Structures are given as structure tokens and as C-alpha cells.
Amino acid sequence: MLSYWSKPQEVVDIPPAPAGFMWPYECEQWRKEQLKGLSHEDVFELRARLDELDQEKGHIVANAWLVEVVERYQLLNKISVMRPYVQKEAERLAKRSRQDSIEWLRGVVARLRFCDKMISELDGAELSKWAETKRYEFESGMYGLLVNEGRAAVLKWVEVHLKEVGVSFRDWDDEDKVVAMIARMITPEWWARQAKKQWRVVESILRECGEVHNGASPYLSKWGLNKFRKQQKANAEFLKGWEAVNQNDEAFTLEDLSSRGVSNPFIRRGELMARVRGTEELAVEMEHVGYFLTLTCPSKYHAVRKNGRRVGKFYKAKCPDPRRGQTYLCNVFKRIRSKCKRDGVHFYGVRVVEPHHDATPHWHMMVFGEAAQLKTFLAIFKHYALQEDGHEKGAEEKRYDIKYMDPAQGTAAGYMAKYVCKSVDGEHIEKDIETGRNASAMSESITGWARRFGIRQFQFFGGVSVSVWRELRKIKKDVGAVIKPIHEAADKGRWKDFTKLMGGVFAGRNQTLKLHYSEEEENQYGELVSSIKGVARGVDVYVTRFYDWTIQRVGSGSESSSLKNGGAVPWTRVNKCTGPSFGLRNQPTGSGGGGANVSTG
């Protein structure tokens, strides 16, 4: 006999369960159906509370309570390892509004579901197994449709699966591009990449749960930081275990080659600072003035305040993630540049993207130009900085900041150095001002944040091509009198002289030298692609890349050599993607273990 049966039923104004009155066996059957699929711990907890309500208020009230709370438990039961964080946040929201809590939970479950799995479950061996299964299901289903129903059915099949993983594809009328997309989709690597992109959803949800702020884990959640470290370790092992071999049987590990490019934080920081310093020197020579600008997002993009309190507008705006914040900032700057172009206002400089403690992005900019023109620029900047939600409290003080560059108080390069160093590797800085913590440790979190959300940290606007600069620095022989001054400026790291010789900061498309590309060749997906071969001035071409490279496991072919033990080999682009199991029109690609040829580099 159920404990509530002898208790007089209290009449209250509540929505009934399936019926206001039920016989004991009916009630028990209904409750079992409601609790079906929940964990033993959840069932035990809910049963205990039901028993209490049965005794205190009767089974009608108890069943009505179960109707209100059971969906929350059902949703929480689907999110496995993330449950502790999500449950805590759902309970916090429920104190304010049960409906808001349930709607947020529904959204969390919907976002975490990727194809037929929960994103949080796709990792390591499970991810590899899932990717291979999806590849096989897609490929076998496609060939079945091709044989039985024809091309239209295959295209529909491809379209459905692209939508399932959130990939946008518009070139349905271009058969070559359709075939290339299919060639990618029949590889497990493609499916694994799509799943990994969804890890940013997990990080966003943890941010919504209050796991990313100065009082918890600044810039990146502990889960995200751990994931980033694992990925860095896996990347390092990959670079050590693979090598690039050219047509002369010279082999170099990818680790050696990577250490000599801008992937190396030391080289990256040095190049950025050389460009910043050169841009400032050029501005001084042209008697231009400069300003330091800061641009940040409206309050609805911020999840947590510095004091640890949540931002209500963030939840009302459907919890925008850092990518949406970065999109907002890019759109603001796009409007500023468009307005300046219409009004004939010219400027140049650099911007650095950093996260606030709660992972919301903001920009620091160094802008130069003629004094009269920058006066107009600043008015335009203020207007668009406040165009969205400019009426909210504190917008004038917090949404932007403008400081005049006074040469008597220091150099622009010195001002920007702290932002560059903080965002690269934390070298030369003791403490992170935003969090008060060790700069080197916070630099790791900032880099992980940028990688997780696909945010470009540094960008110069105006100026000349850094790609030409990098190509010229590869040339170690005499280039002749025509481009010798530009080559020397690049080789010796003189960005100011390089910019002047390339046509100046406002050269645009009329720069002295441009990149020169190879003729188009088919890649492993049947697409026609070209790669950088050197630089050109009119019809004169200066080759900087002389070798064709093949990527293979270390020791699987040619004898390996080290960069330290021979002549310097020009740094070249290499393609690290593996080929599909079946290539264009079902032809073997040669991928899988023996290496794959890549385009001329």
C-alpha cells in the first residue's frame, strides 16, 4: 500500500497530473513512466521527495510537483560529465524563474547534441571510432543511393549530412566542388574535425555556468585549459613523428621546420614587435599623430562582472559566446572603415584582441594618420562604438577609450609590447593586470581561448604585405639590383624601410612586389589549387620555394637529416591533411601510411 493512500487529499489550485485522482496502482505506474530513463541516484532523490509530499499534502500535489521538476532531471541525465556544472546553474536560474531554467536547460542539451552523440562524449578513442562509423555510414549510404535512385538523391544525402554537422555549402551547381566535398566527407578525419569544432560549445556552456571568470578560471575554463594542453601535447608528438622529404631525398622533421617559422612564439613575438616599431617610426617620419584606442562589447556580451556577480542582460540575450562578441567588434570596425573610406579619411595601425576575465573579447588598437584626418576618424569611431546599446548605463565610460600618443611619455611600441607579449607567451611581463595572476600562466589561457573560439589575435590595417616580407627573408643569395634594397630591408628586419620601398602605408594593391603563385594542380580531393612560389615585380619573378615536399612518418622512407647539419632549406608550405580512403571518382589516393604527395611548395 502506498504511503499517501490514507492521507486526506488537499484541494489546491494547481494543474493536475494526468488526472486529479488516481488509484494507487495507476499512480505508481504513471510515476514509473515519468522516472523512466533517469539515473538510480535521481530516482532515489525524487522518490524520497515524493514520499514527503505524499505524507504532507497528498498524491495530487506530489504528482504536480513531479510534473514541474522531472523534465529538468531528464535533461540533466543526458549531459553526462557536464552535469555538475549545468545542474548548479539550472538550480540558480530556477530560483528566479523555473521556466527560464527549463528553457536554458533545453538549449544546453540541444547544443550539446552533435549528430547522434553528445559532444562531451566525443574524445580520444571514442571520437576516432565515431568518426569512422559516420564515414562508413555516409559513404555506403551514398553509393546505395547512387545505384538505386541517381544523382539527385545523392546530392540530397550530402546536403542533409552537411546540415547535420553545421557546414554551409552553396556551390551545388559546381560539380567539381561537390565532388571535392564528397571526397572529404568519406574520410574519418573530416568528421573528427567537425566534431572538434563543437568543443567550443562545451566551453561556452561552462562559461554560462560561471566557470570562466577571475574568481574561478580566467579567460578559459579548467576543462578548456586541460583540453588545450592535451591538444598541444598531441601536436608536438605529431610534429616529432612526421617529416617532410623533398625531391633530393632531404628530410626534416616537422618539429624542426615549425621551430623556424612564426609558429615559434619567440619568432612570432619578434616579428610582431618589428612591425609595430617600424610602423611607429614611419609615422614619426611622416609627422603623423597616433592614438591608443580600446573597443569593447555591450554589457549583454559579458557573462560575469569583476565582482563575480552574473550579468542579467547576458541571459536575456541568449548567452552570446566569445565568437559572437568578436563578430560584433569586427562589424563595428567594418562600419568605421567603410565610413572613413566614403569620407576620404585615411589611417593605419594594428589591433590586438584580448579576452576580459570572463572570456568576452575586446580590442586594443594603435592608430596613426594626419592630425586633421584622425580628428574625423575619432568622431566616427565614437559614433559606431555606441551605435548598439549606446544608451545603457556606463556606455560612455566603458565601451571605448581614447588616449593620445604623447612621445614624451613613451613609445607606441612600448605601449603595445605588453599586449603582444601577454597574448603570445607572457615573456617580459611579471603580472597580468586583468587578473593579477602570473602573466606566463595567463598567456597559456589566452592562447587556448583564441584557439578554441577561432579568434585572430593580431591584425595590421593599412601598410603592406607581410607575406612578401616573409618570402623575401627566405632568399639567402644575390637577388640582383632591381629588388635588392627591398630584400635587404626585409632580411635585416627594417619594417619602416620595407614599407616605404613597397609603396608606403597607403599603397594598397599598388605595392612594388606581389606574391607569385604556381600553376594550378589537383590536390587529393580533385580541386585545382595553387601555392606560393615566390614574389614578382611585373613580369619579373623571384622564386623563393624550390622543392616539392612529401609528408611521411619519420624513418618510413628517406634517411632523416637535421637543419643543423646542412645548408639552410627554404621554409615551405606543407599540407598535413591525409587523403580520403576513396578519391575523386573512386580512384585510390595513396594515403593511409606511406605518405601523400602535396602541391609544389
Side-chain angles (χ1 to χ4, degrees):
M1 181 68 69
L2 296 176
S3 60
Y4 60 78
W5 184 241
S6 59
K7 177 74 177 177
Q9 299 303 302
E10 193 174 307
V11 179
V12 290
D13 185 20
I14 56 172
F21 173 82
M22 287 188 288
W23 294 102
Y25 73 88
E26 292 176 321
C27 187
E28 179 62 19
Q29 190 63 37
W30 178 80
R31 289 181 178 182
K32 282 183 178 179
E33 191 62 31
Q34 297 301 303
L35 300 175
K36 185 178 180 181
L38 298 184
S39 67
H40 294 300
E41 294 81 2
D42 287 343
V43 172
F44 181 82
E45 180 182 335
L46 291 172
R47 284 285 189 183
R49 181 56 181 155
L50 284 170
D51 287 343
E52 290 177 7
L53 290 173
D54 286 340
Q55 293 293 337
E56 295 172 5
K57 298 185 178 181
H59 76 281
I60 294 178
V61 174
N63 287 347
W65 171 81
L66 183 60
V67 168
E68 286 187 352
V69 302
V70 73
E71 184 181 1
R72 177 154 58 95
Y73 281 86
Q74 290 168 343
L75 292 169
L76 288 169
N77 198 56
K78 296 178 179 180
I79 57 179
S80 62
V81 296
M82 290 191 64
R83 176 165 177 164
Y85 309 105
V86 175
Q87 183 168 4
K88 183 180 176 182
E89 180 64 12
E91 289 171 355
R92 188 190 72 83
L93 292 172
K95 292 176 182 177
R96 186 179 63 189
S97 167
R98 283 186 179 275
Q99 187 59 33
D100 287 350
S101 177
I102 286 295
E103 287 183 1
W104 178 77
L105 258 179
R106 289 170 182 162
V108 166
V109 173
R111 283 182 287 161
L112 283 175
R113 180 158 290 282
F114 181 68
C115 298
D116 53 351
K117 283 281 188 178
M118 300 303 287
I119 298 166
S120 50
E121 298 172 1
L122 292 176
D123 198 3
E126 183 62 28
L127 174 59
S128 299
K129 181 181 177 182
W130 174 85
E132 177 58 34
T133 300
K134 293 298 292 185
R135 176 210 70 77
Y136 174 77
E137 290 175 351
F138 172 80
E139 185 175 9
S140 59
M142 180 189 65
Y143 284 131
L145 288 171
L146 183 62
V147 172
N148 297 317
E149 299 185 36
R151 183 177 183 275
V154 169
L155 293 179
K156 187 65 178 176
W157 178 258
V158 174
E159 182 181 8
V160 167
H161 282 78
L162 287 174
K163 286 182 178 179
E164 186 181 31
V165 297
V167 173
S168 177
F169 184 75
R170 299 184 180 88
D171 300 309
W172 296 104
D173 295 329
D174 190 327
E175 186 173 350
D176 289 339
K177 290 185 178 180
V178 172
V179 171
M181 176 56 73
I182 292 173
R184 286 180 167 85
M185 294 176 73
I186 59 178
T187 67
E189 292 83 9
W190 185 86
W191 290 94
R193 281 196 299 273
Q194 307 316 309
K196 287 179 180 179
K197 289 178 183 177
Q198 302 305 311
W199 285 343
R200 66 180 54 142
V201 175
V202 177
E203 180 65 23
S204 295
I205 292 171
L206 289 171
R207 178 173 176 253
E208 294 166 28
C209 293
E211 295 299 311
V212 183
H213 63 90
N214 200 29
S217 178
Y219 307 134
L220 194 66
S221 70
K222 293 176 182 177
W223 174 90
L225 184 58
N226 185 51
K227 179 72 72 176
F228 174 66
R229 287 170 175 167
K230 286 182 178 179
Q231 188 62 53
Q232 291 292 90
K233 182 179 179 181
N235 290 346
E237 290 174 354
F238 174 84
L239 293 176
K240 287 180 181 178
W242 291 75
E243 61 187 2
V245 184
N246 63 27
Q247 65 267 43
N248 298 330
D249 273 345
E250 295 173 313
F252 309 95
T253 66
L254 298 188
E255 182 184 36
D256 287 337
L257 297 176
S258 177
S259 69
R260 297 194 167 234
V262 289
S263 298
N264 183 329
F266 178 80
I267 294 176
R268 187 183 188 199
R269 185 178 66 249
E271 181 186 90
L272 285 167
M273 289 310 304
R275 295 173 69 192
V276 169
R277 184 175 61 252
T279 301
E280 180 186 19
E281 291 171 349
L282 192 60
V284 171
E285 185 176 291
M286 295 190 294
E287 298 184 347
H288 286 174
V289 298
Y291 286 88
F292 300 120
L293 309 176
T294 300
L295 178 66
T296 192
C297 300
S299 60
K300 65 188 178 187
Y301 291 91
H302 297 257
V304 185
R305 293 185 176 90
K306 267 289 184 72
N307 60 13
R309 296 182 62 186
R310 305 298 181 86
V311 180
K313 291 181 180 179
F314 175 73
Y315 295 91
K316 291 179 182 178
K318 305 298 182 184
C319 306
D321 68 6
R323 276 180 70 86
R324 279 181 60 187
Q326 175 68 357
T327 299
Y328 162 80
L329 295 171
C330 287
N331 287 337
V332 169
F333 195 59
K334 189 185 299 181
R335 296 186 194 107
I336 292 171
R337 295 187 72 169
S338 296
K339 175 63 175 173
C340 287
K341 186 175 182 179
R342 291 194 298 271
D343 294 353
V345 177
H346 302 289
F347 62 95
Y348 56 97
V350 61
R351 64 99 169 132
V352 180
V353 184
E354 282 190 336
H356 287 294
H357 71 106
D358 68 339
T360 307
H362 64 284
W363 288 12
H364 295 291
M365 290 184 281
M366 179 179 78
V367 180
F368 296 101
E370 294 179 5
Q373 293 230 320
L374 282 198
K375 184 177 180 180
T376 304
F377 169 84
L378 293 178
I380 295 171
F381 175 80
K382 292 177 184 178
H383 170 74
Y384 286 106
L386 296 175
Q387 191 176 46
E388 184 175 322
D389 297 344
H391 59 279
E392 66 180 359
K393 184 179 178 180
E396 284 280 355
E397 295 79 29
K398 298 179 180 179
R399 294 278 290 280
Y400 67 86
D401 185 50
I402 299 173
K403 292 180 181 177
Y404 172 70
M405 289 185 195
D406 186 352
Q409 296 183 1
T411 65
Y415 178 85
M416 292 299 290
K418 59 183 178 181
Y419 298 115
V420 171
C421 293
K422 175 182 171 182
S423 297
V424 174
D425 56 8
E427 288 293 321
H428 311 299
I429 305 177
E430 292 184 3
K431 185 179 289 188
D432 173 26
I433 297 175
E434 174 77 8
T435 63
R437 304 191 186 195
N438 177 269
S440 181
M442 291 300 95
S443 175
E444 182 185 25
S445 293
I446 290 172
T447 303
W449 167 83
R451 302 273 178 85
R452 175 63 62 228
F453 291 103
I455 292 175
R456 183 176 179 180
Q457 292 176 278
F458 309 99
Q459 186 169 16
F460 285 74
F461 42 90
V464 294
S465 171
V466 70
S467 296
V468 170
W469 158 279
R470 290 170 181 164
E471 292 302 312
L472 288 174
R473 286 170 64 85
K474 297 184 179 109
I475 302 175
K476 302 302 179 184
K477 62 181 182 180
D478 181 40
V479 295
V482 178
I483 67 167
K484 185 175 182 179
I486 302 179
H487 175 250
E488 286 185 350
D491 190 52
K492 297 184 179 183
R494 301 197 309 264
W495 182 260
K496 182 194 79 171
D497 296 335
F498 175 76
T499 301
K500 290 169 63 177
L501 292 166
M502 284 284 285
V505 290
F506 302 125
R509 296 182 179 180
N510 299 316
Q511 296 179 36
T512 306
L513 295 177
K514 297 181 180 180
L515 293 175
H516 175 71
Y517 293 86
S518 65
E519 294 183 2
E520 291 184 336
E521 299 177 349
E522 275 195 2
N523 64 10
Q524 62 265 47
Y525 302 115
E527 297 171 302
L528 291 176
V529 296
S530 58
S531 58
I532 297 173
K533 288 294 291 181
V535 297
R537 181 173 185 175
V539 296
D540 296 324
V541 176
Y542 303 87
V543 177
T544 60
R545 305 190 183 196
F546 305 96
Y547 303 102
D548 293 329
W549 295 96
T550 297
I551 308 303
Q552 63 184 30
R553 290 191 181 276
V554 170
S556 64
S558 306
E559 293 186 6
S560 183
S561 60
S562 169
L563 282 174
K564 299 178 182 178
N565 299 327
V569 174
W571 171 250
T572 64
R573 179 181 64 81
V574 293
N575 184 345
K576 292 182 281 187
C577 298
T578 57
S581 56
F582 290 94
L584 185 64
R585 294 176 183 83
N586 209 28
Q587 295 299 311
T589 61
S591 65
N597 290 325
V598 297
S599 56
T600 305

